[in-house]
Amino acid sequence: MRILAIESSCDETAFAIICEQDGKIVVEKNLLATQIEIHKLYGGVVPEVAAREHVSAIFPMLMESGVSRDGHEIDAIAVTAGPGLVPALRIGVELAKTLAWIWKKPLIAVNHLEGHIYSVWHHAIMTTKEPMFPSVCLLVSGGHTELLLMRDHGDYQMLGMTRDDAAGEAFDKVANLLGLGYPGGPIISKTALAGDPNAITFPRPMHGSGDLDFSFSGLKTAVRVHLEANPIDRVNTANVCASFQQAVVDSLVDKTLTAVLQHHPRSVILSGGVSANQALRSILHDKLEKQFPDITFHAPDLALTGDNAVMIAVAGLFQAKRNQFVDPLALVADPNMRLAS
Ligand code: KG4
Ligand code: ZN
């Protein structure tokens, strides 16, 4: 089965074609246009600007993909239908609907967050690396921080979520406080390498709260209060980055281990933009290996941690296997689309 996928939920326009052959996924096209340089000027993503940029990127991408005019080689079209920014989502959704209608191909509406989870299936399908169910999924991105129990393909239970800022959003806001630019995650993790994670005692939000929820806005305030009393010089900046990162990682790892204790999964999946963070990847991996040696740990290739269309295609492939298609005339972008309640 060959799937064409489109992603336009935020500030990346992405286009992919994947093919499942002998149970393996072959990525035939993986195109990405990032708008980060444009949104940097505003310190965050401006939805209307994002939509305009998607419009100018998406048609050249369709041409560049080399797909035939009648789409005969494509078996199904997958598109991110939500969650995300409505003006941005609409560009991809309307193109996918149009192609599905004129080519008479089945259309798959993919949840962006499910796409992030399926980024770990890119290499894993039909191998011993395939996550086994049930799986505890820690999904950490710029807009979401969720712990989910994945009982089977497409079957999710919400275990916990952030009560305020998402983890990636906290990285972005702290980078802004430090004047480091946008997006904050990559630059904070790089700057943290020169700092001491124990230099400043920032709070571990929601630690011992008894549930699996997160909160990061108090941590951001603690960083602001610290910066009001201390100079933003090179040493302090590195120490703030390292200590802040350690506090976020401790919160995420602590709740994930609690979820594992409570739900006895066979695997743990880490995904989303923040899963590029090396401290998070290695600390979670090491603690799981030590405390739960029978549980397998899965994180995406670094190239697939951020938004991309390969992950949407892979999630779409599994939906297609379950005959989960939508009517191209009825599909509307859903900014609040949820995986589970
Ligand atoms: O999943 P993603 O690409 O977009 C959304 O769906 O939101 O995630 C983007 C987020 C941004 O907040 C960015 O700062 C964060 O992921 N991020 C990181 C790292 N790389 C990206 N956060 C921490 N450490 C990183 N290395
Ligand atoms: Zn994302």
Side-chain angles (χ1 to χ4, degrees), residues 11 63 66 81 113 150 158 167 172 186 197-198 230 233 260 301 319:
D11 57 353
M63 298 302 160
L113 304 180
M150 186 176 185
M158 181 69 72
D172 295 338
N198 301 312
N230 295 277
D233 57 19
V260 169
D301 286 356
Q319 273 177 245

Side-chain angles (χ1 to χ4, degrees), residues 22-135:
D22 306 324
K24 294 236 157 44
I25 290 172
V26 178
V27 177
E28 296 180 337
K29 287 284 170 212
N30 180 15
L31 307 175
L32 187 82
T34 180
Q35 309 171 2
I36 282 178
E37 289 306 316
I38 296 158
H39 298 292
K40 259 182 187 168
L41 303 172
Y42 308 98
V45 181
V46 183
E48 303 304 332
V49 175
R52 222 177 302 143
E53 293 300 315
H54 287 312
V55 172
S56 40
I58 214 159
F59 292 103
M61 260 185 198
L62 179 62
M63 298 302 160
E64 194 188 335
S65 74
V67 69
S68 65
R69 278 181 173 250
D70 62 1
H72 66 268
E73 69 276 40
I74 302 295
D75 297 302
I77 297 165
V79 65
T80 303
L85 308 168
V86 169
L89 283 166
R90 267 192 199 140
I91 310 303
V93 166
E94 294 308 319
L95 176 61
K97 285 163 68 173
T98 309
L99 292 177
W101 193 73
I102 56 175
W103 289 347
K104 304 278 176 281
K105 301 288 177 182
L107 180 63
I108 309 157
V110 176
N111 183 308
H112 179 82
L113 304 180
E114 186 165 33
H116 275 301
I117 292 171
Y118 273 89
S119 60
V120 305
W121 262 273
H122 160 233
H123 279 321
I125 189 167
M126 295 276 284
T127 69
T128 48
K129 285 195 200 151
E130 197 165 351
M132 283 185 292
F133 300 119
S135 183

Side-chain angles (χ1 to χ4, degrees), residues 112 116 141-143 168-169 171-172 183-186 189 272-274 276-277 306-307:
H112 179 82
H116 275 301
S141 72
E169 191 180 356
F171 273 93
D172 295 338
S189 51
V274 183
N277 188 282
D307 292 346

Side-chain angles (χ1 to χ4, degrees), residues 193-205:
L193 294 173
D196 174 4
N198 301 312
I200 308 152
T201 313
F202 288 130
R204 269 50 179 165

Side-chain angles (χ1 to χ4, degrees), residues 216-340:
F216 294 107
S217 78
L219 178 55
K220 174 194 64 193
T221 307
V223 172
R224 186 168 49 73
V225 169
H226 172 85
L227 291 177
E228 279 163 7
N230 295 277
I232 309 185
D233 57 19
R234 199 170 51 83
V235 174
N236 188 28
T237 297
N239 284 340
V240 167
C241 287
S243 303
F244 160 77
Q245 174 175 268
Q246 191 61 48
V248 175
V249 169
D250 283 352
S251 291
L252 295 172
V253 171
D254 172 54
K255 294 288 169 129
T256 308
L257 295 176
T258 308
V260 169
L261 267 177
Q262 290 178 0
H263 295 276
H264 314 290
R266 295 171 76 192
S267 62
V268 168
I269 296 174
L270 170 67
S271 68
V274 183
S275 72
N277 188 282
Q278 285 300 344
L280 175 60
R281 283 169 96 99
S282 63
I283 293 171
L284 184 56
H285 172 268
D286 292 353
K287 291 211 166 166
L288 279 168
E289 193 171 56
K290 209 163 153 214
Q291 296 180 32
F292 306 97
D294 296 334
I295 294 177
T296 55
F297 174 68
H298 308 263
D301 286 356
L302 280 180
L304 294 185
T305 53
D307 292 346
N308 65 86
V310 171
M311 67 185 197
I312 302 303
V314 178
L317 175 69
F318 280 89
Q319 273 177 245
K321 286 174 191 280
R322 301 195 298 274
N323 283 321
Q324 221 174 299
F325 301 111
V326 292
D327 176 356
L329 295 181
L331 179 63
V332 281
D334 178 0
N336 303 314
M337 195 173 180
R338 295 180 69 120
L339 267 183

